[in-house]
Amino acid sequence: MLNTPSAPPQTLVWLPVDHRFLGEGGDQTPFLVLGDKYARAVKRGAQAQPVLFPLADAGQIPALLQMVDGVMLTGSPSNVHPSHFDQDVTDPSLPLDPERDALTLALVRACVASGVPLLGICRGFQEINVALGGSLEQTVHARAGQLDHRARAGVSVNEAYGPAHEVRFVPGSAFAQWAGGDRSQVNSLHGQGIDRLAKGLRALGHAPDGLVEALEIEGAQTFAYAVQWHPEWRCQENPFYRAIFESFGQACRRRQAARLVT
């Protein structure tokens, strides 16, 4: 009997979910949510299998990280609760997600300590900064001299995720290599942004108003980058965005190779 070769093991990337109430009026019910675009970017761009642990808590992080090859922190309509950087809520109408905060802030620190590849996008970018001791500006558009980085009202989804402003990258940085130059146009759909950059983070890209748009975790054992914009949007059609995910996927496969032999 011929032996059928076994399928190669899947590279697994953990995407934490959002906790939201969905529905109309008083009929809202709790849901655990992941945006399709994030899962598809991991699947197609990073060539990895997105996985969910929907009710994971911080105490389970060490065991769950042993099962995966990378972590991607997604964007979300919700904001990091400002109590995590010693501020009060500026706009009570904006959504918060304390359950996600309780997991992801601890998850960032665990990824850094364990050498797990980490990619942060929008809220995930902000989570990394807060988790490592930084703070956020809750209303970037209200600060003198700042651009309005929020999504444009009354436009189609394609237009909302279209180019909005330039980001300039540190020459020779990973982002400059991925972009094929020291600047690139990116989309912009966020109201909050970095105020005080956490110790141990290095800003690698800035918007025209000086806002940090790309960063790395200095001294990280592996891929540890984050962006304020949304490279997951149709990443296969944008060479720069695709390069980010390809590099993330390569780092995840290196971890997978090491994980499977231990």
Side-chain angles (χ1 to χ4, degrees):
M1 180 180 293
L2 293 175
N3 291 326
T4 302
S6 59
Q10 287 285 315
T11 305
L12 304 179
V13 174
W14 180 4
L15 283 71
V17 298
D18 294 337
H19 301 77
R20 297 189 212 166
F21 284 88
L22 302 178
E24 299 295 330
D27 293 327
Q28 290 192 329
T29 54
F31 279 79
L32 301 168
V33 178
L34 172 68
D36 178 276
K37 60 195 174 97
Y38 298 108
R40 289 186 185 276
V42 167
K43 183 80 170 180
R44 296 176 179 174
Q47 295 292 298
Q49 176 62 44
V51 295
L52 310 181
F53 303 111
L55 295 177
D57 58 49
Q60 296 174 292
I61 288 173
L64 294 176
L65 282 183
Q66 293 181 26
M67 301 167 59
V68 301
D69 306 301
V71 169
M72 189 173 87
L73 303 175
T74 69
S76 171
S78 69
N79 293 319
V80 177
H81 199 290
S83 63
H84 292 291
F85 45 94
D86 299 321
Q87 292 183 18
D88 295 325
V89 175
T90 299
D91 185 350
S93 70
L94 296 178
L96 298 167
D97 190 344
E99 290 182 87
R100 172 164 167 163
D101 293 343
L103 176 69
T104 55
L105 299 184
L107 183 56
V108 168
R109 295 186 285 267
C111 286
V112 174
S114 302
V116 177
L118 177 65
L119 173 60
I121 294 174
C122 199
R123 189 195 209 269
F125 169 90
Q126 297 167 8
E127 286 170 333
I128 290 172
N129 188 54
V130 172
L132 299 180
S135 66
L136 304 178
E137 169 60 61
Q138 295 184 58
T139 52
V140 171
H141 52 280
R143 191 163 64 182
Q146 296 294 131
L147 299 173
D148 189 341
H149 289 259
R150 295 174 295 180
R152 291 169 290 169
V155 302
S156 68
V157 173
N158 284 337
E159 290 176 297
Y161 281 92
H165 63 72
E166 183 179 82
V167 172
R168 295 190 178 187
F169 303 113
V170 172
S173 67
F175 286 99
Q177 295 173 34
W178 294 328
D182 294 346
R183 62 187 67 191
S184 180
Q185 290 288 320
V186 301
N187 51 45
S188 187
L189 298 95
H190 61 100
Q192 295 196 138
I194 286 181
D195 181 16
R196 184 183 72 256
L197 189 66
K199 183 179 179 180
L201 296 182
R202 181 188 179 206
L204 295 181
H206 294 83
D209 59 3
L211 193 69
V212 178
E213 291 269 340
L215 60 79
E216 69 174 348
I217 300 176
E218 294 185 298
Q221 303 172 51
T222 183
F223 186 108
Y225 297 96
V227 299
Q228 182 61 85
W229 70 90
H230 287 268
E232 81 284 354
W233 180 254
R234 296 185 172 178
C235 71
Q236 292 297 90
E237 301 173 15
N238 184 310
F240 173 32
Y241 295 176
R242 185 173 66 245
I244 295 173
F245 279 95
E246 287 176 348
S247 183
F248 176 55
Q250 290 165 6
C252 292
R253 283 184 286 279
R254 287 193 293 271
R255 170 173 166 79
Q256 179 192 44
R259 181 172 64 85
L260 294 178
V261 298
T262 57

